[in-house]
Amino acid sequence: MARRDRHLSRTALAGAAILYLAYRALARLRSANLDGQVALVTGGSRGLGLLIAQELLRQGCKVAICARDPDELEAARQRLARSGRVIALGCDLAKREEVEATVAQVLARFGRIDVLVNNGGVIQVGPLEAMSLADFELAMGVNFWGTVYTTLAVLPQMRARRSGRIANITSIGGKVAVPHLLPYTCSKFAALGFSEGIQEELAKDHIRVTTVIPGLMRTGSPMNVLFKGDRARELVWFAGGDATALTAMSAERAAKKIVRAIRRGRSHLTLGLQAKALRLTHDLLPRPTARLLSLGARLLPRSSDSASERGREIAAHADGHGVVQALARFIGRTARATNQFSGSRIAPSKRRRRRSHLPHARR
């Protein structure tokens, strides 16, 4: 009996090894060589988008980035130009005509778009009572419609070649509703549904779609997030989750994983242990998870103040709030590395910059 059990165990191990090797071989067969291909990255002027563009350049791509802020775009273009061929184009993703004009410019310059990364987005943090209809419209306009507009604009030439790769950067917030992020959550639920839907429909055209579901990443993004309600306290809890290796994934590592997933044609990629654990817990235990999130919502600050302010503006005049200033100093290096301080429209005043501990943002 013992001999039979050992034989079964060895057979099971051998079968598992064969399946793993077959999976790896299939992944290599599906893997694309990105050298010489043309990539468009929306929201590529800072944060994760900038790092994805940088990694695509390392893979040999010609890259176009787009974003709204001209100063951010130029700073990003100069940084990326050290790694390869890149162009930077101004575009408001919520405006269909601007998106279509941007895609047309990339096609005129490079002749085709082989890889599309829908990364551009906006985040508003605050309680529901501080949010207006305009906040929901903004989130849907950029995070959802921006993804739809760009995808539909690049599809005709991908379909004509029967080739292409699309990566949609959604969020764990598109799987699990997180308190004080309601407009963002709604838009990411919609974007995730769109991504999974086109994955099924475009398979016949040999266009591979990767749905990326990130958790928290260390990008320095809280400096440009819009906060409402009790803005300083909202910044503290949100930025606290973005600050450490225990709570957030390295953005550089995330960018490499995303580009690898694009190259291999993976259908889904969930990034970060915290995001994987939250998604699994929610799927297996939805009711306890909802109760836990409801408890978390009760512990968050409550205010109906509808005025909005970006994180770096809050930090710039938070002289009496030591926790805010400490967080700003702590994530400042990451924020500088991902170009979070170069935008012209939202730079703090010179007077506030001198009082703050934030890195100087050049106008």
Side-chain angles (χ1 to χ4, degrees), residues 124-200:
Q124 304 116 309
V125 178
L128 176 59
E129 53 265 32
M131 297 295 172
S132 66
L133 183 60
D135 293 310
F136 287 88
E137 291 171 341
L138 174 63
M140 290 298 294
V142 177
N143 300 348
F144 174 66
W145 284 111
T147 297
V148 174
Y149 293 153
T150 314
T151 301
L152 296 183
V154 304
L155 273 181
Q157 50 91 39
M158 284 187 175
R159 277 181 161 143
R161 297 194 321 273
R162 293 182 64 79
S163 174
R165 298 192 179 233
I166 299 172
N168 296 312
I169 314 300
T170 64
S171 170
I172 188 60
K175 282 287 186 181
V176 182
V178 180
H180 285 220
L181 286 165
L182 194 53
Y184 176 80
T185 293
C186 292
S187 64
K188 289 299 184 178
F189 264 79
L192 195 145
F194 175 74
S195 185
E196 292 184 341
I198 61 170
Q199 175 189 315
E200 298 160 3

Side-chain angles (χ1 to χ4, degrees), residues 22-193:
Y23 168 78
R24 293 295 299 270
L26 181 61
R28 281 194 294 271
L29 285 173
R30 294 178 62 181
S31 184
N33 181 3
L34 298 180
D35 189 28
Q37 298 210 338
V38 178
L40 169 60
V41 182
T42 69
S45 64
R46 55 179 159 89
L48 180 63
L50 177 67
L51 297 173
I52 291 172
Q54 188 171 280
E55 184 61 24
L56 286 167
L57 286 166
R58 288 196 186 111
Q59 297 286 329
C61 287
K62 291 172 277 191
V63 174
I65 60 171
C66 68
R68 283 176 294 181
D69 190 282
D71 284 6
E72 280 184 0
L73 273 170
E74 179 55 22
R77 188 198 64 78
Q78 291 179 16
R79 184 179 305 195
L80 292 171
R82 305 167 196 162
S83 302
R85 191 174 175 187
V86 61
I87 61 171
L89 303 168
C91 179
D92 184 344
L93 293 175
K95 297 179 179 177
R96 179 181 173 184
E97 63 278 10
E98 290 193 24
V99 171
E100 291 175 348
T102 296
V103 170
Q105 285 179 274
V106 179
L107 292 174
R109 180 70 174 270
F110 293 125
R112 67 186 193 277
I113 297 172
D114 302 291
V115 178
L116 169 64
V117 181
N118 283 309
N119 169 78
V122 62
I123 304 178
Q124 304 116 309
V125 178
L128 176 59
E129 53 265 32
M131 297 295 172
S132 66
L133 183 60
D135 293 310
F136 287 88
E137 291 171 341
L138 174 63
M140 290 298 294
V142 177
N143 300 348
F144 174 66
W145 284 111
T147 297
V148 174
Y149 293 153
T150 314
T151 301
L152 296 183
V154 304
L155 273 181
Q157 50 91 39
M158 284 187 175
R159 277 181 161 143
R161 297 194 321 273
R162 293 182 64 79
S163 174
R165 298 192 179 233
I166 299 172
N168 296 312
I169 314 300
T170 64
S171 170
I172 188 60
K175 282 287 186 181
V176 182
V178 180
H180 285 220
L181 286 165
L182 194 53
Y184 176 80
T185 293
C186 292
S187 64
K188 289 299 184 178
F189 264 79
L192 195 145

